[in-house]
């Protein structure tokens, strides 16, 4: 019985097409699900950052009102950086938020240091820093509002 090469070649081409199409569809659905996952993660990151910055504004108001200066916790931003989720937000937003959290860390450093300064000078420095932090938070909050999701 002779081999029918024409039909064999056609069957192999059809089989190759089916396999290629199945791999293409699988890859496309995987990329689509990853995009949806990244979008959801981005929404969560923006929500958590917005919430964290709002709490920092309340903390500043309480600190200025009671004149009780305590350090800020920056664990939210640190966890976002360590997990690598900061890559999901725009560079401009990242830069603004990074500056804000740098101000928070600088305030914490000033709060721990300056023990050789008198109380009035130290308090004046802390009040100025808190106002700078408030300004920086406000700028970051505006950029968070405009972040396209």
């Amino acid at each position: 019985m002779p081999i029918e090469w024409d039909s064999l070649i056609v069957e192999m081409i059809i089989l190759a097409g089916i396999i290629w199409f199945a791999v293409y569809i699988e890859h496309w659905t995987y990329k689509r699900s990853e995009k949806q996952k990244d979008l959801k993660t981005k929404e969560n990151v923006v929500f958590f950052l917005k919430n964290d910055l709002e709490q920092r504004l309340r903390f500043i108001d309480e600190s200025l009102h009671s004149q009780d200066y305590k350090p800020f916790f920056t664990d939210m931003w640190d966890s976002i950086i360590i997990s690598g989720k900061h890559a999901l937000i725009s560079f401009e937003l990242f830069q603004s938020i990074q500056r804000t959290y740098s101000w928070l860390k600088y305030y914490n450093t000033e709060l721990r240091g300056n023990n050789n300064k008198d109380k009035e000078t130290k308090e004046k420095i802390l009040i100025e820093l808190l106002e700078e932090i408030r300004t920086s938070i406000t700028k970051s909050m505006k950029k968070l509002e405009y972040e396209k999701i």
Side-chain angles (χ1 to χ4, degrees):
M1 173 174 213
I3 299 176
E4 296 180 18
W5 288 104
D6 293 342
S7 64
L8 185 64
I9 290 173
V10 170
E11 288 175 7
M12 294 300 242
I13 289 174
I14 291 172
L15 182 61
I18 291 171
I19 292 171
W20 181 85
F21 187 69
V23 170
Y24 175 79
I25 292 292
E26 183 179 347
H27 181 68
W28 178 76
T29 55
Y30 173 76
K31 284 179 69 174
R32 184 169 179 244
S33 68
E34 284 296 312
K35 282 183 183 180
Q36 290 174 344
K37 182 180 168 188
D38 286 347
L39 183 62
K40 185 66 176 167
T41 303
K42 181 180 177 180
E43 289 174 358
N44 288 337
V45 165
V46 169
F47 174 77
F48 290 137
L49 284 172
K50 189 175 178 182
N51 186 32
D52 190 51
L53 292 176
E54 287 171 353
Q55 289 178 4
R56 301 295 164 239
L57 285 175
R58 279 189 235 116
F59 185 80
I60 290 171
D61 291 338
E62 291 171 7
S63 294
L64 292 173
H65 179 69
S66 65
Q67 295 181 344
D68 182 26
Y69 305 105
K70 295 179 182 172
F72 287 102
F73 293 110
T74 59
D75 54 342
M76 175 61 81
W77 182 245
D78 295 338
S79 67
I80 289 172
I81 293 293
I82 290 171
S83 68
K85 301 301 181 195
H86 63 284
L88 297 173
I89 59 177
S90 67
F91 179 73
E92 293 81 18
L93 178 60
F94 169 77
Q95 194 174 25
S96 178
I97 293 173
Q98 180 62 35
R99 284 185 188 132
T100 299
Y101 279 92
S102 292
W103 274 110
L104 296 174
K105 290 178 181 186
Y106 179 67
Y107 168 84
N108 289 346
T109 303
E110 284 293 320
L111 191 61
R112 274 186 249 123
N114 293 332
N115 292 332
N116 56 351
K117 294 183 180 179
D118 62 65
K119 185 176 180 178
E120 289 179 16
T121 306
K122 185 174 182 177
E123 188 171 327
K124 183 179 176 185
I125 291 171
L126 293 177
I127 290 171
E128 288 175 6
L129 281 174
L130 286 174
E131 289 304 323
E132 281 293 327
I133 292 169
R134 183 192 312 269
T135 304
S136 184
I137 288 175
T138 304
K139 287 178 184 177
S140 292
M141 293 284 286
K142 285 180 184 176
K143 290 191 181 204
L144 274 170
E145 289 294 324
Y146 294 114
E147 179 70 8
K148 300 292 183 213
I149 297 177

